[in-house]
Amino acid sequence: MAHDLVIRDGVIVDGLGNEPFRGDVAIDGDKISEIGKVPSRGTKEINADDNLVTPGFVDIHTHLDAQFGWDPLGTSSCYHGITSVVLGNCGVTFAPCKPKDREYLAELMESVEDIPRESILEGLTWDWETYGEYLEALDRLPKGINVGGMVGHCAVRYAAMGERSLDETPAGGDDIERMCELVDEAISSGALGFSTSRTFLHRVPDGRPVPGTYAQPEELLAIGRVLGKYQRGVFEAAARLGERDAPDLPNTRKEVAWMGELSRENGINVTFGLAHSERRETLYQSVVEFASEENAKGARLRPQTTSRPIGSLYSLHNRTMFDRSEPWRDLKNKNFGARLEAMRDAYTRERLVESVDFEQIDLDFDRLYVLTPNRVRYDMQPKDSLGHIARERQESVVEAFINLNLETNGRVVFYYAFLNQRLDPIEYMMNQPVVAMGLADSGAHVGQIMDASQPTWLLSYWVRERQMLTIEDAIRRWTSDTANLFGIKNRGRLEVGACADLNVIDLENLGMDVPTYQYDFPGGAGRYVQRAQGFKYTIVNGKHFLTDGVHTGELAGVTLRS
């Protein structure tokens, strides 16, 4: 009998770290049914043409919580081989939610993750109160990729304590009991885990730290015991690392210690974001050491980092580096075509150049990197900086900005790294077995960053160019390793019986397009989108989902439950 789908003549990278081999993959229904030399024909066949055949990537750190309400494809994640995503990171979720609290949670998400409040309120159905009902609402949404989520501390604490949830006063016994009940309902309904925010960087609109920031260890450990009771679910934290700490990092050590205790006590995985920052040059190394020490005592801590810098984007489409100047603010009030036209006018151009007060701009233009349609790189080479290009052209940086926009018809984008600001710390962290790949923040800070292309950069740069990682190890890190960390069963691997999420990848031609700004959120709000080249085919649950990044019409994604 014919198989439903056969992918032929590929280099199979199984996602488990084994050596690649040539062969075919047969799919029946939503499962892989045969791997190797497949003699039977397929009702549908895809010729891999000696390209890589890999599992679909599993992105464990996204903020696509709102976007799936109106974007069933899960862009830009889907363009980069991602077939499963985890929502609910950093403690910010839309459930549990009383009807009267919907606006509050939308405003909190906007404040923390830069997703427009009006788009959230307009684009979601809001037909839930409990987390289980939220997962049922996810079930009803059409989805091109698989979607699971954690229940967030902000929503849980606000539902249990109201305005008191933002106070520095510790939660009382009754408060903790109510929070544990809400988390219990979520985990029993299939939440992939629980997330919290501890960093003082995350704030509600009035400037106070988000609910849960001041939670004491006894509150967090009590919630951890709920996950321990079920023996499933990950505990994720936007941890307080290096903040309000002495040079020898006693508070950071305590932060990692309670996470280690929570993990050991309950036999669960704990993960948290980790990145290099020049404000505390060796913090990342210390945190890796602290986590390794806890794991040596029986914990299961996995800090997660990115394969490239985390950076802000500037462009003529949204915000520029010069917007404090009145002529630049006037320019921003025009439509995009009129902005370009104004730059061509000699008088306007002169006003734009002369109006900029560089004392008001806290940017080093030698570290502001230029992304153009024919050159999208994140390795921060000095020759790609706006400062270098301006000097080479014998122009000011403002003149160079204007000319680059005119030469590319406004498609140029400028990139400024604020975390993982050098490649050597990234390489160090990727060489540590304790560190997982993640932190892409897809769906968050939609007008400021675009980091969904993390797996594409990992493969094109660290594997193909630098050869720092083998292809089998790089694929493992974005497939079975992330799936296992979050308890996502039968995904992130190519083996008989596994769910049929796959990519066919042309590694030699793998790359990224320059981010573009488009207005496709509810209410006409804008965001950055980044496509890729080299992902020839993407299969989700046995259905052919994308060809060269173009949607086939299939929407076979499912809700992932623990």
PDB file of all heavy atoms in Angstrom, residues 82-105:
ATOM      1  N   ILE A  82      10.440  26.402  12.349  1.00  0.00           N
ATOM      2  CA  ILE A  82       9.842  26.119  13.647  1.00  0.00           C
ATOM      3  C   ILE A  82       8.443  25.543  13.443  1.00  0.00           C
ATOM      4  O   ILE A  82       7.601  26.153  12.776  1.00  0.00           O
ATOM      5  CB  ILE A  82       9.805  27.389  14.515  1.00  0.00           C
ATOM      6  CG1 ILE A  82      11.240  27.805  14.880  1.00  0.00           C
ATOM      7  CG2 ILE A  82       8.975  27.172  15.782  1.00  0.00           C
ATOM      8  CD1 ILE A  82      11.370  29.219  15.371  1.00  0.00           C
ATOM      9  N   THR A  83       8.209  24.374  14.009  1.00  0.00           N
ATOM     10  CA  THR A  83       6.913  23.712  13.873  1.00  0.00           C
ATOM     11  C   THR A  83       6.171  23.585  15.196  1.00  0.00           C
ATOM     12  O   THR A  83       5.007  23.194  15.194  1.00  0.00           O
ATOM     13  CB  THR A  83       7.077  22.316  13.245  1.00  0.00           C
ATOM     14  OG1 THR A  83       7.970  21.534  14.052  1.00  0.00           O
ATOM     15  CG2 THR A  83       7.621  22.413  11.822  1.00  0.00           C
ATOM     16  N   SER A  84       6.828  23.894  16.309  1.00  0.00           N
ATOM     17  CA  SER A  84       6.173  23.875  17.624  1.00  0.00           C
ATOM     18  C   SER A  84       6.699  25.040  18.452  1.00  0.00           C
ATOM     19  O   SER A  84       7.916  25.285  18.467  1.00  0.00           O
ATOM     20  CB  SER A  84       6.456  22.568  18.375  1.00  0.00           C
ATOM     21  OG  SER A  84       5.915  21.449  17.687  1.00  0.00           O
ATOM     22  N   VAL A  85       5.789  25.741  19.125  1.00  0.00           N
ATOM     23  CA  VAL A  85       6.191  26.881  19.947  1.00  0.00           C
ATOM     24  C   VAL A  85       5.558  26.776  21.327  1.00  0.00           C
ATOM     25  O   VAL A  85       4.503  26.166  21.503  1.00  0.00           O
ATOM     26  CB  VAL A  85       5.805  28.234  19.299  1.00  0.00           C
ATOM     27  CG1 VAL A  85       6.503  28.424  17.970  1.00  0.00           C
ATOM     28  CG2 VAL A  85       4.289  28.349  19.132  1.00  0.00           C
ATOM     29  N   VAL A  86       6.238  27.398  22.293  1.00  0.00           N
ATOM     30  CA  VAL A  86       5.736  27.485  23.660  1.00  0.00           C
ATOM     31  C   VAL A  86       5.384  28.929  23.962  1.00  0.00           C
ATOM     32  O   VAL A  86       6.211  29.834  23.805  1.00  0.00           O
ATOM     33  CB  VAL A  86       6.778  26.966  24.670  1.00  0.00           C
ATOM     34  CG1 VAL A  86       6.249  27.113  26.097  1.00  0.00           C
ATOM     35  CG2 VAL A  86       7.132  25.506  24.379  1.00  0.00           C
ATOM     36  N   LEU A  87       4.153  29.140  24.418  1.00  0.00           N
ATOM     37  CA  LEU A  87       3.677  30.458  24.840  1.00  0.00           C
ATOM     38  C   LEU A  87       3.825  30.591  26.352  1.00  0.00           C
ATOM     39  O   LEU A  87       4.194  29.658  27.046  1.00  0.00           O
ATOM     40  CB  LEU A  87       2.200  30.627  24.468  1.00  0.00           C
ATOM     41  CG  LEU A  87       1.741  30.209  23.074  1.00  0.00           C
ATOM     42  CD1 LEU A  87       0.230  30.426  22.938  1.00  0.00           C
ATOM     43  CD2 LEU A  87       2.484  30.978  22.011  1.00  0.00           C
ATOM     44  N   GLY A  88       3.512  31.775  26.857  1.00  0.00           N
ATOM     45  CA  GLY A  88       3.396  31.958  28.302  1.00  0.00           C
ATOM     46  C   GLY A  88       4.700  32.143  29.035  1.00  0.00           C
ATOM     47  O   GLY A  88       4.785  31.868  30.238  1.00  0.00           O
ATOM     48  N   ASN A  89       5.734  32.595  28.359  1.00  0.00           N
ATOM     49  CA  ASN A  89       7.018  32.810  29.025  1.00  0.00           C
ATOM     50  C   ASN A  89       7.000  34.077  29.872  1.00  0.00           C
ATOM     51  O   ASN A  89       6.140  34.943  29.727  1.00  0.00           O
ATOM     52  CB  ASN A  89       8.125  32.886  27.976  1.00  0.00           C
ATOM     53  CG  ASN A  89       8.528  31.520  27.450  1.00  0.00           C
ATOM     54  OD1 ASN A  89       9.348  30.838  28.063  1.00  0.00           O
ATOM     55  ND2 ASN A  89       7.940  31.102  26.344  1.00  0.00           N
ATOM     56  N   CYS A  90       7.981  34.173  30.767  1.00  0.00           N
ATOM     57  CA  CYS A  90       8.229  35.384  31.569  1.00  0.00           C
ATOM     58  C   CYS A  90       7.046  35.765  32.463  1.00  0.00           C
ATOM     59  O   CYS A  90       6.908  36.929  32.864  1.00  0.00           O
ATOM     60  CB  CYS A  90       8.597  36.566  30.672  1.00  0.00           C
ATOM     61  SG  CYS A  90      10.035  36.275  29.638  1.00  0.00           S
ATOM     62  N   GLY A  91       6.181  34.816  32.760  1.00  0.00           N
ATOM     63  CA  GLY A  91       5.096  35.084  33.711  1.00  0.00           C
ATOM     64  C   GLY A  91       3.903  35.791  33.140  1.00  0.00           C
ATOM     65  O   GLY A  91       2.913  35.993  33.847  1.00  0.00           O
ATOM     66  N   VAL A  92       3.942  36.214  31.862  1.00  0.00           N
ATOM     67  CA  VAL A  92       2.837  36.997  31.298  1.00  0.00           C
ATOM     68  C   VAL A  92       1.984  36.110  30.395  1.00  0.00           C
ATOM     69  O   VAL A  92       2.448  35.623  29.365  1.00  0.00           O
ATOM     70  CB  VAL A  92       3.333  38.243  30.540  1.00  0.00           C
ATOM     71  CG1 VAL A  92       3.767  39.319  31.505  1.00  0.00           C
ATOM     72  CG2 VAL A  92       4.497  37.913  29.607  1.00  0.00           C
ATOM     73  N   THR A  93       0.748  35.882  30.822  1.00  0.00           N
ATOM     74  CA  THR A  93      -0.198  35.079  30.063  1.00  0.00           C
ATOM     75  C   THR A  93      -1.577  35.722  30.156  1.00  0.00           C
ATOM     76  O   THR A  93      -1.804  36.641  30.947  1.00  0.00           O
ATOM     77  CB  THR A  93      -0.280  33.638  30.597  1.00  0.00           C
ATOM     78  OG1 THR A  93      -0.605  33.671  31.988  1.00  0.00           O
ATOM     79  CG2 THR A  93       1.031  32.904  30.422  1.00  0.00           C
ATOM     80  N   PHE A  94      -2.501  35.197  29.355  1.00  0.00           N
ATOM     81  CA  PHE A  94      -3.873  35.709  29.321  1.00  0.00           C
ATOM     82  C   PHE A  94      -4.833  34.829  30.108  1.00  0.00           C
ATOM     83  O   PHE A  94      -6.047  35.008  30.023  1.00  0.00           O
ATOM     84  CB  PHE A  94      -4.345  35.838  27.876  1.00  0.00           C
ATOM     85  CG  PHE A  94      -3.563  36.832  27.066  1.00  0.00           C
ATOM     86  CD1 PHE A  94      -3.004  36.477  25.852  1.00  0.00           C
ATOM     87  CD2 PHE A  94      -3.375  38.129  27.520  1.00  0.00           C
ATOM     88  CE1 PHE A  94      -2.285  37.395  25.095  1.00  0.00           C
ATOM     89  CE2 PHE A  94      -2.652  39.057  26.786  1.00  0.00           C
ATOM     90  CZ  PHE A  94      -2.111  38.684  25.569  1.00  0.00           C
ATOM     91  N   ALA A  95      -4.313  33.882  30.869  1.00  0.00           N
ATOM     92  CA  ALA A  95      -5.164  33.025  31.693  1.00  0.00           C
ATOM     93  C   ALA A  95      -4.336  32.560  32.889  1.00  0.00           C
ATOM     94  O   ALA A  95      -3.118  32.381  32.767  1.00  0.00           O
ATOM     95  CB  ALA A  95      -5.672  31.835  30.891  1.00  0.00           C
ATOM     96  N   PRO A  96      -5.036  32.373  34.043  1.00  0.00           N
ATOM     97  CA  PRO A  96      -6.457  32.584  34.290  1.00  0.00           C
ATOM     98  C   PRO A  96      -6.821  34.072  34.209  1.00  0.00           C
ATOM     99  O   PRO A  96      -5.979  34.933  34.472  1.00  0.00           O
ATOM    100  CB  PRO A  96      -6.654  32.033  35.693  1.00  0.00           C
ATOM    101  CG  PRO A  96      -5.309  32.178  36.340  1.00  0.00           C
ATOM    102  CD  PRO A  96      -4.319  31.929  35.253  1.00  0.00           C
ATOM    103  N   CYS A  97      -8.083  34.324  33.867  1.00  0.00           N
ATOM    104  CA  CYS A  97      -8.497  35.717  33.671  1.00  0.00           C
ATOM    105  C   CYS A  97      -9.996  35.871  33.934  1.00  0.00           C
ATOM    106  O   CYS A  97     -10.810  35.289  33.200  1.00  0.00           O
ATOM    107  CB  CYS A  97      -8.161  36.156  32.246  1.00  0.00           C
ATOM    108  SG  CYS A  97      -8.647  37.852  31.882  1.00  0.00           S
ATOM    109  N   LYS A  98     -10.322  36.651  34.927  1.00  0.00           N
ATOM    110  CA  LYS A  98     -11.714  37.037  35.136  1.00  0.00           C
ATOM    111  C   LYS A  98     -12.089  38.045  34.047  1.00  0.00           C
ATOM    112  O   LYS A  98     -11.245  38.818  33.595  1.00  0.00           O
ATOM    113  CB  LYS A  98     -11.872  37.665  36.512  1.00  0.00           C
ATOM    114  CG  LYS A  98     -11.443  36.758  37.671  1.00  0.00           C
ATOM    115  CD  LYS A  98     -11.373  37.535  38.983  1.00  0.00           C
ATOM    116  CE  LYS A  98     -10.804  36.664  40.091  1.00  0.00           C
ATOM    117  NZ  LYS A  98     -10.592  37.430  41.355  1.00  0.00           N
ATOM    118  N   PRO A  99     -13.357  38.064  33.625  1.00  0.00           N
ATOM    119  CA  PRO A  99     -13.742  39.003  32.566  1.00  0.00           C
ATOM    120  C   PRO A  99     -13.345  40.444  32.849  1.00  0.00           C
ATOM    121  O   PRO A  99     -12.922  41.168  31.941  1.00  0.00           O
ATOM    122  CB  PRO A  99     -15.261  38.826  32.495  1.00  0.00           C
ATOM    123  CG  PRO A  99     -15.485  37.402  32.917  1.00  0.00           C
ATOM    124  CD  PRO A  99     -14.466  37.145  33.989  1.00  0.00           C
ATOM    125  N   LYS A 100     -13.428  40.868  34.100  1.00  0.00           N
ATOM    126  CA  LYS A 100     -13.106  42.252  34.431  1.00  0.00           C
ATOM    127  C   LYS A 100     -11.610  42.551  34.340  1.00  0.00           C
ATOM    128  O   LYS A 100     -11.207  43.719  34.334  1.00  0.00           O
ATOM    129  CB  LYS A 100     -13.608  42.586  35.841  1.00  0.00           C
ATOM    130  CG  LYS A 100     -12.912  41.849  36.962  1.00  0.00           C
ATOM    131  CD  LYS A 100     -13.499  42.239  38.322  1.00  0.00           C
ATOM    132  CE  LYS A 100     -12.818  41.521  39.475  1.00  0.00           C
ATOM    133  NZ  LYS A 100     -11.401  41.875  39.613  1.00  0.00           N
ATOM    134  N   ASP A 101     -10.783  41.504  34.236  1.00  0.00           N
ATOM    135  CA  ASP A 101      -9.329  41.698  34.225  1.00  0.00           C
ATOM    136  C   ASP A 101      -8.723  41.618  32.828  1.00  0.00           C
ATOM    137  O   ASP A 101      -7.502  41.695  32.676  1.00  0.00           O
ATOM    138  CB  ASP A 101      -8.655  40.645  35.119  1.00  0.00           C
ATOM    139  CG  ASP A 101      -9.020  40.809  36.576  1.00  0.00           C
ATOM    140  OD1 ASP A 101      -9.392  41.930  36.971  1.00  0.00           O
ATOM    141  OD2 ASP A 101      -8.934  39.811  37.320  1.00  0.00           O
ATOM    142  N   ARG A 102      -9.537  41.463  31.796  1.00  0.00           N
ATOM    143  CA  ARG A 102      -9.000  41.300  30.444  1.00  0.00           C
ATOM    144  C   ARG A 102      -8.169  42.505  30.023  1.00  0.00           C
ATOM    145  O   ARG A 102      -7.062  42.364  29.484  1.00  0.00           O
ATOM    146  CB  ARG A 102     -10.154  41.068  29.458  1.00  0.00           C
ATOM    147  CG  ARG A 102     -10.859  39.746  29.666  1.00  0.00           C
ATOM    148  CD  ARG A 102     -12.157  39.666  28.862  1.00  0.00           C
ATOM    149  NE  ARG A 102     -12.860  38.418  29.140  1.00  0.00           N
ATOM    150  CZ  ARG A 102     -14.119  38.170  28.780  1.00  0.00           C
ATOM    151  NH1 ARG A 102     -14.800  39.106  28.099  1.00  0.00           N
ATOM    152  NH2 ARG A 102     -14.675  37.018  29.058  1.00  0.00           N
ATOM    153  N   GLU A 103      -8.688  43.677  30.248  1.00  0.00           N
ATOM    154  CA  GLU A 103      -7.968  44.881  29.842  1.00  0.00           C
ATOM    155  C   GLU A 103      -6.663  45.012  30.606  1.00  0.00           C
ATOM    156  O   GLU A 103      -5.641  45.424  30.051  1.00  0.00           O
ATOM    157  CB  GLU A 103      -8.851  46.111  30.043  1.00  0.00           C
ATOM    158  CG  GLU A 103      -8.271  47.371  29.434  1.00  0.00           C
ATOM    159  CD  GLU A 103      -9.281  48.512  29.354  1.00  0.00           C
ATOM    160  OE1 GLU A 103     -10.482  48.233  29.254  1.00  0.00           O
ATOM    161  OE2 GLU A 103      -8.839  49.672  29.399  1.00  0.00           O
ATOM    162  N   TYR A 104      -6.682  44.647  31.876  1.00  0.00           N
ATOM    163  CA  TYR A 104      -5.474  44.726  32.689  1.00  0.00           C
ATOM    164  C   TYR A 104      -4.382  43.817  32.123  1.00  0.00           C
ATOM    165  O   TYR A 104      -3.218  44.227  31.971  1.00  0.00           O
ATOM    166  CB  TYR A 104      -5.770  44.341  34.140  1.00  0.00           C
ATOM    167  CG  TYR A 104      -4.546  44.340  35.016  1.00  0.00           C
ATOM    168  CD1 TYR A 104      -4.067  45.528  35.571  1.00  0.00           C
ATOM    169  CD2 TYR A 104      -3.829  43.165  35.256  1.00  0.00           C
ATOM    170  CE1 TYR A 104      -2.915  45.532  36.349  1.00  0.00           C
ATOM    171  CE2 TYR A 104      -2.685  43.165  36.029  1.00  0.00           C
ATOM    172  CZ  TYR A 104      -2.230  44.355  36.575  1.00  0.00           C
ATOM    173  OH  TYR A 104      -1.091  44.363  37.341  1.00  0.00           O
ATOM    174  N   LEU A 105      -4.742  42.560  31.793  1.00  0.00           N
ATOM    175  CA  LEU A 105      -3.737  41.637  31.274  1.00  0.00           C
ATOM    176  C   LEU A 105      -3.240  42.055  29.895  1.00  0.00           C
ATOM    177  O   LEU A 105      -2.071  41.854  29.559  1.00  0.00           O
ATOM    178  CB  LEU A 105      -4.302  40.215  31.228  1.00  0.00           C
ATOM    179  CG  LEU A 105      -4.564  39.555  32.586  1.00  0.00           C
ATOM    180  CD1 LEU A 105      -5.025  38.114  32.405  1.00  0.00           C
ATOM    181  CD2 LEU A 105      -3.339  39.602  33.493  1.00  0.00           C
TER     182      LEU A 105
END
